[in-house]
Amino acid sequence: MARTMSTDRIVTLRGDQELVARAGDLIAGARQEFLVAATDPWTFSPGVNAAFARGKRPHMAPGMVMRKLYTPRAVADAESVRRLLKIAATGPEVRIAAAPLTHEAIVLDGRTAILAGAPESGVRTYTVVRTPEVVASIRSLIAATWETADGLAAFSGRPRPDLTEESRRILRTLGAGHTDETASRHLGMSLRTYRRRVAELMETLDATSRFQAGVRARDLGVGG
Amino acid sequence: MARTMSTDRIVTLRGDQELVARAGDLIAGARQEFLVAATDPWTFSPGVNAAFARGKRPHMAPGMVMRKLYTPRAVADAESVRRLLKIAATGPEVRIAAAPLTHEAIVLDGRTAILAGAPESGVRTYTVVRTPEVVASIRSLIAATWETADGLAAFSGRPRPDLTEESRRILRTLGAGHTDETASRHLGMSLRTYRRRVAELMETLDATSRFQAGVRARDLGVGG
DNA sequence: CGCCGCGTGGCAGCAAGGTGCCAGTTCCGC
DNA sequence: GCGGAACTGGCACCTTGCTGCCACGCGGCG
């Protein structure tokens, strides 16, 4: 029958100090998975960065999944993008969701969720949840948003390579799924030259496999 | 200081009957907003439809926002799409998120969340949450997923393939530009199995080259 | 128990992709 | 005309990707 949860499964903390004091070790103790969803990397700063400063930082162990999901606000200017790229360089994956994430959320190892609430009379509140169903739901929703979010690359202001008409034609034949053999004949050039073109294209697309090249090409709007 | 939530703010219900008995009025009582995130319209059926059958159905009042968010599985075949279109015709907005929503969630008027958990010994459990921060977070995440989800119109044509989590992982490693060798090791499977998976994936993507598969994968929002 | 179906992994062999090398051609500018 | 840079295509060789075949292990099922 209906069963009320034990009270320690959900706790509200008031202010950053209390967050650090009560949840710092929790955050640092993440082992397999560390998910963050927030508007930008500075939202949590007052509290979480204070914790991080004391070494209470989740360790980037091998096999650890560390994902940070932000809103477009996090890439509003070039400076912000640079800071994000620096974050990404230290290990975590970073993506930008199209929609605003008004409430920051952290999920630790799929077992604990830390949810930021609106400030009450100037003091930020944080809710620590351990109820399995609730944490699983939040984790699932973050995963869904993550899935449709763009990688940082789309925002790093990397100038999109300007492709010649021939390059576009080659990308189209590649996208058509032909073999190099038939594609080259179709384009009226030798196999050798065709492959040379493809190699050059992959260079400009910064791709190391044809699959990756396909993804990148699609991002540029060609290939389909 | 730390404050433990009052115990009635989070309750776990066991089984559909209990859901109907204890939360039926809650669901029917939604006035401004009714959000559902689930894999497909039939996941909740045993419990919620039973409640609906007794007239405990949220009323489509003017000004009421009623949104139903499903996964690609909900539009896996033409029959399912038809049923969804019928649902949409009665009022609610329906969208399809690219990613799997493994845990069903309902949010009522931004004040109450009902989260489905995994069945325990055959009995489905539902967790009713009223903690404001938790509900607000879940609502925000559903909104973010909703924002990037596609309308039903995009699917009334051909059904988009329903990819498993493993498939997504494989597409991501492909998109990362690894060789099969390193990719398979990274995913902890043999080279042979990895290639088998890739072959299967290319089949479902209807691609004849890896480049083409990359393009198709990008169209589905995975691989980057 | 044996038998099945099923998923996995190793191996072999082939197909496809990728590249260094060199010869031939074209198109400059001197 | 001459030399050289730039581009092309053929050849050879290697890597990578792809798949058929078979063996092994595992969980039902009679």
Side-chain angles (χ1 to χ4, degrees), chain B residues 179-181 192 195 198-199 202 210:
Chain B
T179 66
D180 291 8
E181 181 78 33
R192 183 71 184 85
R195 288 187 170 155
V198 173
M202 288 181 56
R210 289 208 177 184

Side-chain angles (χ1 to χ4, degrees), chain B residues 191-202:
Chain B
L191 182 63
R192 183 71 184 85
T193 304
Y194 176 77
R195 288 187 170 155
R196 227 195 288 271
R197 294 281 169 281
V198 173
E200 291 160 5
L201 266 173
M202 288 181 56

Side-chain angles (χ1 to χ4, degrees), chain A residues 137, chain B residues 15-17 19-20 27 34-52 68-70 101-107 113-117 124-127:
Chain A
S137 292
Chain B
D16 298 330
Q17 291 178 347
L19 173 71
V20 172
I27 292 173
F34 183 80
L35 306 180
V36 179
T39 54
D40 56 60
W42 312 281
T43 321
F44 266 123
S45 288
V48 175
N49 281 357
F52 281 5
K68 306 196 164 205
L69 184 60
Y70 300 117
L101 301 163
T102 51
H103 292 73
E104 292 73 33
I106 297 178
V107 177
I114 303 177
L115 309 171
R124 202 89 192 277
T125 64
Y126 300 94
T127 306

Side-chain angles (χ1 to χ4, degrees), chain A residues 192-193 196-197:
Chain A
R192 183 68 186 87
T193 305
R196 202 174 265 144
R197 293 283 169 280

Side-chain angles (χ1 to χ4, degrees), chain A residues 10 134, chain B residues 5-11 22-23 26 108 110-115 127-136 138:
Chain A
I10 179 163
V134 178
Chain B
M5 303 312 302
S6 63
T7 51
D8 65 345
R9 291 229 168 152
I10 178 163
V11 176
R22 307 257 314 220
L26 217 52
L108 306 168
R111 284 198 297 270
T112 311
I114 303 177
L115 309 171
T127 306
V128 180
V129 184
R130 263 187 270 254
T131 318
E133 292 88 352
V134 178
V135 176
I138 291 170

